[in-house]
Amino acid sequence: MNTIYILWLRQLKRYFRSRSRILGSLGQPLLYLVAMGFGFGPIFQKAGAGNYIQFLVPGIIAMSILFTALFSGVEIIWDKQFGFLKETLVAPVPRFEIMIGRTLGGATVSTLQGVIVLVVSTFIGFKISSLSMLSVVLLFMFLIAVLFAALGTVIASLLDDMQEFQLIMNFLVMPLFFLSGALFPLSGLPTALSAVASIDLLSYGVDGLRGSLLGISHFGLHIDLLVLTITTLILFTIGSYLFSKIKI
Amino acid sequence: MENNIIEVKNLTKKFKDLTAVDNISFNVKKGEIFAFLGPNGAGKSTTIKILTTLLPPTNGEIEIDGANPVTQQDKVRHSFGIVFQDPSLDDELTAYENLEFHGVLYKVPNPIRKQRIEELLRFVELWDRRNNLVKVFSGGMKRRLEIARGLLHHPKIFFLDEPTLGLDPQTRNHIWNYISNLNKKENITVFFTTHYMEEADKVAQKVAIIDHGKIIAQGNPAELKAQTKTKTLEEAFLALTGEKIRDEDAGSQDFLRQGRRMWHR
Ligand SMILES: Nc1ncnc2c1ncn2[C@@H]1O[C@H](COP(=O)(O)OP(=O)(O)OP(=O)(O)O)[C@@H](O)[C@H]1O
Ligand SMILES: [Mg+2]
């Protein structure tokens, strides 16, 4: 057993032990799916855009991964406040390894969350267009998860207490979600909104999922993959740097 | 000096314009029990954080078991165990898992790790509770678990920052028994802080008193009492540091401390 593994394992244990967290993080995607999916479905259909549930599911999967992953990164603030972070920081291990273990743990949990939402969606009528793409679907889920777990680490390294958490939710997470094309198609948008959507990293995640699950993609799967990989590496590097500078 | 395990020379730590630690020097001998005493905000925890690589010093030279905490962090980190002033356990893990986590981080290999965890959990009388989540533990149980954890990797130096904060007399007594035993049995060096002077009087072989970031007296408890012509270490402490209450920035444990201070007077 090594450092990365034990930190990864800790994230998993914490997740599975908190039943309220699992239920909470499943409840929200389901609410969106049912309320929006069935609510807007008829209009979407009339506009000739096809089945809204089909369109919405990849967006909601991306959303649930975004929330869980970002939260797992931001959890560092909790560890700071409840003191456990000190225990890891005085240990004779490179902080880089701590960061990798934590991030991979958070990403694993979030990917799992995405898979659960996908499975549940099939019960309300979602159809995967090609099963052979499932490994690509998983890859995209994992990339989104690592990306936002790393972003969470960056944020947590910069903030000191949980009060600022609400601020992050309102000014970062919600815009990331609403502007990403999770809920609406990116083609034919007003220029300004379209520009914003194309700098929203979640857009590429949603697009990648939609591309691999349904075979329709706005940017193209290669672009999605490229953008997500590069930004994940960048954020991961920034995150490890900031994490290595954390002082108690 | 060969047999000094901690050497601190002219250590200073500034936070912006506040000098928390002001040019202090002291040595701790191998196997010694050393009490670092001082009023609230004197700079005790800051000094410990510097010695244990958590904070960089502004100035001064430090050697921990022959290594420099600024440039040889890993070496220093291997050499000590620590109980922080504030809690530092993972509440969502069990007692056993907290120790396991520590053992893996400190690369204690497996058959030995299991054995050592059991030995220490029995030592602090938590073996029966090993599979309980830490969040259901009382303050005293958590403290004992932190002590077990700090010892898991056989450190040469054990730092304890107010290990008995907020504990009842029975538990405090218990904890000092463990620590004295350990010191005798394994010759582990103990560096601790406390606000209970009678604890320091009983267990410490050497005492340093710090006030406003400066060390104002050092010696064994008998010497300090003689120097101030007092009968107890508490009286000596008050004679040296004055009766005025400190109003330095409140730390996280401030409420506890306020309560305790009123109780004491
Ligand atoms: N990170 C920090 N930034 C700014 N000031 C700090 C910081 N940490 C400590 N201080 C200040 O340094 C001084 C010494 O604090 P320290 O925690 O070392 O005191 P202490 O002797 O441990 O006191 P206590 O008995 O209350 O624990 C205090 O005035 C405190 O406010
Ligand atoms: Mg302190």
Side-chain angles (χ1 to χ4, degrees):
Chain A
M1 271 212 266
N2 65 25
T3 311
I4 296 177
Y5 173 71
I6 196 85
L7 274 136
W8 175 85
L9 190 63
R10 172 176 179 250
Q11 294 298 112
L12 262 68
K13 280 184 174 159
R14 286 177 67 94
Y15 178 76
F16 285 111
R17 276 179 197 167
S18 155
R19 223 155 280 153
S20 60
R21 229 175 101 188
I22 303 181
L23 285 179
S25 51
L26 278 179
Q28 196 172 17
L30 279 180
L31 180 66
Y32 270 90
L33 264 183
V34 172
M36 305 200 68
F38 293 111
F40 285 119
I43 304 180
F44 204 74
Q45 194 96 44
K46 260 184 224 146
N51 183 332
Y52 190 49
I53 294 273
Q54 286 294 103
F55 179 84
L56 188 62
V57 165
I60 298 303
I61 292 174
M63 173 190 90
S64 77
I65 298 176
L66 164 75
F67 287 1
T68 316
L70 205 93
F71 184 82
S72 81
V74 168
E75 237 185 349
I76 294 176
I77 303 181
W78 269 247
D79 279 353
K80 231 191 251 182
Q81 292 219 326
F82 293 118
F84 185 72
L85 193 61
K86 286 189 293 248
E87 152 78 358
T88 46
L89 296 188
V90 290
V93 290
R95 291 209 183 165
F96 183 62
E97 289 184 11
I98 296 176
M99 156 89 185
I100 295 183
R102 278 196 81 107
T103 311
L104 290 183
T108 306
V109 164
S110 316
T111 305
L112 221 65
Q113 182 92 34
V115 171
I116 298 175
V117 174
L118 176 61
V119 171
V120 172
S121 316
T122 60
F123 289 112
I124 60 165
F126 180 73
K127 287 189 188 59
I128 302 169
S129 70
S130 105
L131 287 174
S132 61
M133 288 292 276
L134 271 185
S135 55
V136 183
V137 174
L138 277 179
L139 174 68
F140 272 106
M141 287 190 187
F142 192 67
L143 270 176
I144 302 173
V146 178
L147 174 67
F148 290 106
L151 181 64
T153 308
V154 171
I155 294 168
S157 308
L158 296 173
L159 299 183
D160 275 328
D161 63 74
M162 316 187 198
Q163 264 137 39
E164 290 161 287
F165 186 66
Q166 200 53 43
L167 220 66
I168 306 169
M169 283 308 285
N170 290 337
F171 290 97
L172 185 79
V173 181
M174 286 330 233
L176 273 173
F177 168 55
F178 281 117
L179 299 170
S180 68
L183 303 176
F184 47 78
L186 290 177
S187 45
L189 290 180
T191 334
L193 187 54
S194 160
V196 173
S198 68
I199 54 169
D200 180 344
L201 292 176
L202 189 64
S203 302
Y204 299 90
V206 172
D207 197 55
L209 285 179
R210 212 165 266 151
S212 47
L213 280 168
L214 307 175
I216 39 166
S217 147
H218 179 74
F219 301 110
L221 280 187
H222 291 97
I223 298 286
D224 294 331
L225 201 60
L226 196 71
V227 171
L228 290 177
T229 311
I230 292 175
T231 49
T232 299
L233 287 177
I234 294 175
L235 275 171
F236 200 85
T237 313
I238 300 176
S240 335
Y241 173 76
L242 290 174
F243 187 71
S244 76
K245 293 281 169 247
I246 289 188
K247 293 219 179 66
I248 303 288
Chain B
M1 269 283 289
E2 262 296 285
N3 74 29
N4 284 341
I5 195 159
I6 302 178
E7 296 196 1
V8 175
K9 233 196 305 180
N10 305 107
L11 175 66
T12 297
K13 176 71 192 179
K14 291 192 171 129
F15 295 109
K16 301 212 176 77
D17 44 2
L18 174 103
T19 307
V21 175
D22 193 355
N23 198 25
I24 63 171
S25 302
F26 62 87
N27 296 320
V28 179
K29 290 203 189 73
K30 223 171 252 173
E32 192 167 56
I33 301 187
F34 185 94
F36 197 47
L37 308 177
N40 288 144
K44 303 180 297 294
S45 297
T46 305
T47 305
I48 291 186
K49 282 180 192 161
I50 297 170
L51 301 186
T52 57
T53 75
L54 276 175
L55 275 180
T58 310
N59 249 312
E61 285 149 50
I62 310 159
E63 264 189 27
I64 303 289
D65 192 27
N68 181 332
V70 181
T71 55
Q72 297 166 286
Q73 292 195 332
D74 262 20
K75 200 154 171 261
V76 171
R77 286 173 183 169
H78 268 294
S79 68
F80 69 81
I82 183 166
V83 174
F84 296 99
Q85 180 171 339
D86 303 321
S88 66
L89 296 162
D90 186 340
D91 278 3
E92 300 286 335
L93 296 183
T94 64
Y96 194 92
E97 286 167 341
N98 266 284
L99 295 197
E100 172 105 26
F101 184 90
H102 185 92
V104 172
L105 283 194
Y106 284 77
K107 310 217 164 32
V108 181
N110 209 347
I112 303 175
R113 185 167 72 226
K114 284 214 175 91
Q115 205 183 317
R116 182 81 179 145
I117 292 176
E118 174 165 355
E119 182 187 314
L120 282 164
L121 281 176
R122 288 192 190 280
F123 177 57
V124 298
E125 291 154 74
L126 286 174
W127 178 246
D128 296 338
R129 306 294 302 268
R130 64 188 178 277
N131 292 325
N132 289 136
L133 291 184
V134 169
K135 68 178 165 199
V136 305
F137 280 11
S138 73
M141 291 162 77
K142 287 185 188 172
R143 228 39 182 160
R144 272 145 56 201
L145 185 60
E146 286 180 314
I147 288 171
R149 185 179 67 179
L151 294 169
L152 185 59
H153 56 286
H154 287 287
K156 293 184 188 158
I157 311 170
F158 200 17
F159 288 99
L160 298 134
D161 197 352
E162 298 193 35
T164 50
L165 177 77
L167 303 184
D168 63 33
Q170 289 85 342
T171 312
R172 279 161 51 197
N173 201 11
H174 229 73
I175 283 182
W176 287 118
N177 281 340
Y178 299 143
I179 294 172
S180 313
N181 274 341
L182 215 81
N183 170 260
K184 281 195 204 97
K185 227 172 53 195
E186 309 200 7
N187 200 34
I188 183 170
T189 307
V190 177
F191 183 110
F192 74 96
T193 76
T194 181
H195 289 294
Y196 299 102
M197 294 304 136
E198 68 284 3
E199 290 180 348
D201 207 352
K202 216 161 46 187
V203 296
Q205 288 141 17
K206 195 171 166 202
V207 174
I209 294 180
I210 180 172
D211 196 8
H212 298 297
K214 292 194 179 71
I215 291 189
I216 53 171
Q218 291 196 54
N220 64 40
E223 284 166 1
L224 293 180
K225 284 179 252 178
Q227 185 191 329
T228 51
K229 303 193 176 59
T230 49
K231 280 200 240 18
T232 64
L233 193 59
E234 172 136 2
E235 286 166 6
F237 180 85
L238 288 171
L240 287 160
T241 56
E243 305 260 355
K244 208 171 131 257
I245 287 187
R246 311 302 151 122
D247 52 2
E248 252 86 3
D249 288 357
S252 50
Q253 299 281 339
D254 208 47
F255 273 109
L256 259 176
R257 213 173 260 133
Q258 291 289 339
R260 197 179 58 203
R261 185 181 293 133
M262 287 188 304
W263 194 245
H264 246 60
R265 293 276 140 106

